[in-house]
Amino acid sequence: MEKDGISKSARLLWKLSCFFRKFIVSTLSVGPIPTHVAFIMDGNRRYAKQRNLKEGEGHNAGYLALKFMVYYCLELGIKHVTAYAFSIDNFKRSPEEVQRIMDLMVEKIEEELSEVDNTYSKMGIRIHFSGNLELLSQPTKDAVKKLMAATAKNSKVLLTICFAYTSTNEIVHAIEQTCQQKLADQMELEEPNSAGKGNHVVVKLADIEKHMYMAVAPDPDIIIRTSGESRLSNFLLWQSANCSLICFSQLWPAISFWHLLWAVLKFQRNYFYFEKKKKQI
Amino acid sequence: MDFKKEMRILCSWIAHFGDLLLRLLWHLVHVIISLFYFTLGIANALESYLISWGVLKRYRSLHVNKLRYLAIVVESEEAYETSKIIALLQWLADIGVKHVCLYDMEGILKKSKDFILAKVDGAVLYGETHENNKLLDQTHMTLEFASFCDGKEAVAKAANVLFMKYVKSGATDQNQKGHIFTESQMTEALKTIGSGGPEPDLLLVYGPARCHLGFPAWRIRYTEIVHMGPLKSMKYGSLIKAIHKFTRVQQNYGK
């Protein structure tokens, strides 16, 4: 009986919080809503340390926080969400920790695919992985491809997970792809060395941008970084020219709806300024 | 039938009223936020003056040698206020900052570089004397001027340099799946076209929002980005505070 009472009150509390959140979202929607929000998910290890959790539990909590954030973004009507999950520089960490992250990733993907969870599919979220995926182990690569294929038809929100990603690597990769494409085009015209002749511009800015990993989404409106740091850490450097950079002192697993709310309010304050800047470019 | 029509009218009125209420609430929230920022601005100004007067002890000792290269991003409309820029550079020289990069989107600061260099005591232009990113000159303040065209456009130019080399090298096997270029080659290509300056340790943004406004992407991988507010209300104390905060930052570069 007691248990039932607790569950009833918990359910009531949940319904109330949902209603309250919907009311806030409706109020917020009066102003402009960002199209693309990106997250630098920093502080999982420190979170685990602070709470005396087992190694790897911080990343688990971080995954849960991402799930909630995506749900809140969906409620707000944000169409693109990007999360910086694993940097190429993170491979410098101990092999055990890197392996733990890879295993967690595969485990969560399998949960999603085996309908134990499949929250993303239910919510109509398409998942895309960006980055140098060649650096991942074969099981991780296979799992990633499966998940992308499974959610390819979803269209409510595009969740881009930057894994084995750095912005400088993205730029170099885009240049490589552009050069290879230009060369292939010239070989089709049977003039393989025409590119070397003269000093005319061959590679255009638009060509490079087309081959970026992040070409799947528009440039972000907001980049949110947790754990009180104020750097981009080689994330979306190219795309963040006219983007509100917001830092929170909270560690990533402790991020909440209120943080997202504050970020959107800040974005609304500077909306016309950023629009003017975009037009200038 | 009339009842249904009346109900529809009533519902539309309720919806209209609800919409009006939400708009009112939204404006109210933003008024509250504006008041919050106004109060915060006063508090920051007060703290800034206290720092300037040397009242707050922790800001007295600055390990400025940790700040090897500083970048300043200025909102283009404010970049015309060269007197403010000169005053800011003078403050930085007094603090002991030796290497500064001035950036604005439209290149206004670039156009007035001769005037700025003449006005700032002992300032020299960052250039050929600082090859290979070695910041050698410790006696004078070195100034670099950058604009939006040193960012994405410079990367496109560097891409052409790499492409030419790639074509000339003859390694044009179409089936080549390996990586053709490396990040260090890209850095070299940027140097070749004259856009290969060093990576700033700290980037101070003077403008309405915390945003790097297209500062060359290749150079801000691990740069700390700090919003300083509008240039017209710049304060010496807030500059000290930003540099002090930077000197206490710990970076692990992904480890």
Side-chain angles (χ1 to χ4, degrees):
Chain A
M1 190 71 192
E2 190 72 36
K3 250 185 188 177
D4 194 45
I6 289 167
S7 66
K8 264 184 183 174
S9 61
R11 224 175 292 147
L12 185 72
L13 207 69
W14 171 250
K15 277 183 179 173
L16 268 168
S17 74
C18 277
F19 172 76
F20 186 54
R21 215 169 46 240
K22 278 198 175 100
F23 175 68
I24 289 167
V25 165
S26 302
T27 307
L28 215 59
S29 300
V30 170
I33 293 292
T35 308
H36 184 178
V37 176
F39 297 99
I40 300 176
M41 307 189 290
D42 193 14
N44 291 333
R45 291 184 296 176
R46 272 171 282 176
Y47 181 84
K49 218 175 192 178
Q50 277 177 17
R51 281 159 179 75
N52 298 316
L53 300 171
K54 277 191 290 182
E55 279 189 90
E57 279 302 304
H59 295 296
N60 232 324
Y63 170 76
L64 204 65
L66 174 64
K67 223 163 189 182
F68 275 113
M69 265 310 132
V70 174
Y71 178 65
Y72 298 146
C73 286
L74 180 71
E75 277 193 326
L76 272 163
I78 295 162
K79 293 280 177 198
H80 297 269
V81 180
T82 300
Y84 196 12
F86 194 83
S87 162
I88 291 172
D89 294 332
N90 292 151
F91 281 109
K92 293 175 193 168
R93 293 179 184 181
S94 69
E96 297 81 42
E97 192 188 339
V98 172
Q99 193 53 51
R100 235 191 338 266
I101 293 166
M102 297 293 167
D103 292 344
L104 176 75
M105 174 100 132
V106 173
E107 181 197 316
K108 295 299 174 191
I109 289 172
E110 277 169 3
E111 269 179 26
E112 179 65 29
L113 290 169
S114 66
E115 291 195 17
V116 171
D117 190 344
N118 84 354
T119 324
Y120 292 127
S121 297
K122 280 175 193 165
M123 290 195 288
I125 293 159
R126 180 182 152 212
I127 300 171
H128 179 82
F129 283 83
S130 274
N132 193 348
L133 302 180
E134 293 303 310
L135 298 173
L136 305 180
S137 62
Q138 200 54 50
T140 314
K141 226 186 291 182
D142 293 341
V144 158
K145 281 174 186 169
K146 262 187 217 168
L147 185 62
M148 285 200 281
T151 60
K153 286 188 175 76
N154 300 341
S155 59
K156 275 189 182 174
V157 173
L158 171 66
L159 168 62
T160 307
I161 296 170
C162 292
F163 211 86
Y165 170 95
T166 60
S167 204
T168 45
N169 176 266
E170 176 185 32
I171 294 165
V172 170
H173 166 267
I175 291 167
E176 276 180 357
Q177 295 289 304
T178 307
C179 290
Q180 282 177 331
Q181 190 207 326
K182 291 279 172 190
L183 209 71
D185 292 348
Q186 272 165 353
M187 279 176 173
E188 269 178 39
L189 294 166
E190 293 179 324
E191 286 182 61
N193 291 319
S194 64
K197 288 172 188 168
N199 223 358
H200 63 286
V201 176
V202 182
V203 179
K204 292 190 178 79
L205 190 58
D207 299 324
I208 297 169
E209 293 198 313
K210 200 168 64 186
H211 288 102
M212 289 276 178
Y213 293 136
M214 286 303 296
V216 291
D219 288 352
D221 297 302
I222 304 171
I223 293 178
I224 295 170
R225 177 158 190 161
T226 51
S227 77
E229 306 295 353
S230 62
R231 53 187 175 270
L232 285 169
S233 294
N234 216 337
F235 177 59
L236 301 183
L237 305 177
W238 184 274
Q239 294 86 353
S240 58
N242 288 301
C243 169
S244 187
L245 310 172
I246 297 165
C247 295
F248 292 116
S249 56
Q250 275 76 11
L251 303 173
W252 172 253
I255 198 169
S256 69
F257 173 70
W258 302 106
H259 294 101
L260 183 64
L261 188 78
W262 183 251
V264 173
L265 284 166
K266 260 188 151 181
F267 161 78
Q268 289 181 343
R269 267 176 69 83
N270 295 312
Y271 177 74
F272 293 108
Y273 169 71
F274 283 122
E275 282 304 297
K276 192 176 84 177
K277 285 281 147 207
K278 280 173 192 168
K279 278 171 192 158
Q280 274 178 17
I281 293 171
Chain B
M1 192 66 189
D2 279 347
F3 176 71
K4 272 187 182 176
K5 197 179 178 183
E6 277 175 20
M7 278 303 287
R8 216 177 291 131
I9 291 164
L10 185 69
C11 284
S12 75
W13 270 102
I14 290 165
H16 192 70
F17 179 71
D19 190 48
L20 205 69
L21 204 69
L22 285 175
R23 279 177 192 277
L24 203 69
L25 197 62
W26 183 81
H27 283 289
L28 184 69
V29 166
H30 277 280
V31 165
I32 292 163
I33 289 168
S34 295
L35 284 169
F36 167 76
Y37 275 109
F38 178 71
T39 314
L40 198 69
I42 291 168
N44 285 338
L46 196 67
E47 187 191 26
S48 180
Y49 287 123
L50 291 174
I51 293 166
S52 305
W53 298 329
V55 177
L56 302 175
K57 285 174 188 171
R58 64 182 156 153
Y59 295 108
R60 281 181 194 169
S61 57
L62 266 186
H63 303 290
V64 82
N65 55 327
K66 197 184 172 187
L67 179 59
R68 291 174 302 115
Y69 201 79
L70 172 74
I72 293 167
V73 170
V74 181
E75 160 57 45
S76 292
E77 283 169 25
E78 293 187 318
Y80 289 103
E81 295 180 51
T82 40
S83 58
K84 286 274 183 191
I85 303 287
I86 290 157
L88 181 61
L89 290 170
Q90 217 65 67
W91 285 349
L92 289 166
D94 294 343
I95 292 165
V97 176
K98 293 290 173 194
H99 308 283
V100 180
C101 173
L102 289 170
Y103 172 92
D104 78 283
M105 234 173 174
E106 290 165 34
I108 292 149
L109 293 169
K110 245 185 195 177
K111 286 169 195 163
S112 41
K113 69 178 171 189
D114 295 326
F115 179 73
I116 292 167
L117 284 162
K119 289 282 179 185
V120 180
D121 298 334
V124 290
L125 190 66
Y126 174 90
E128 288 71 48
T129 47
H130 300 88
E131 272 169 24
N132 305 321
N133 290 358
K134 283 175 188 160
L135 302 167
L136 304 166
D137 197 340
Q138 290 299 316
T139 51
H140 300 287
M141 178 189 262
T142 58
L143 293 179
E144 184 192 353
F145 294 85
S147 65
F148 193 75
C149 62
D150 295 300
K152 291 183 181 183
E153 286 171 37
V155 167
K157 282 178 192 169
N160 279 294
V161 170
L162 289 173
F163 184 57
M164 296 300 176
K165 278 183 186 173
Y166 176 55
V167 170
K168 281 172 187 168
S169 70
T172 56
D173 177 18
Q174 245 186 298
N175 303 316
Q176 190 179 331
K177 277 271 183 258
H179 295 295
I180 319 164
F181 310 126
T182 61
E183 287 184 25
S184 53
Q185 282 175 310
M186 183 64 196
T187 305
E188 283 306 310
L190 282 164
K191 276 184 200 168
T192 307
I193 60 148
S195 292
E199 191 169 324
D201 303 298
L202 175 64
L203 187 141
L204 303 178
V205 181
Y206 284 95
R210 187 166 172 264
C211 167
H212 64 75
L213 295 175
F215 188 91
W218 199 259
R219 293 171 59 182
I220 50 169
R221 282 171 269 209
Y222 287 98
T223 302
E224 299 290 327
I225 302 167
V226 179
H227 183 223
M228 302 295 285
L231 188 73
K232 61 173 178 275
S233 58
M234 65 174 196
K235 286 169 189 70
Y236 182 71
S238 57
L239 192 62
I240 295 281
K241 188 186 175 182
I243 294 168
H244 179 267
K245 194 183 173 189
F246 162 77
T247 60
R248 299 177 76 86
V249 163
Q250 210 67 48
Q251 286 208 23
N252 56 12
Y253 302 99
K255 281 179 197 165

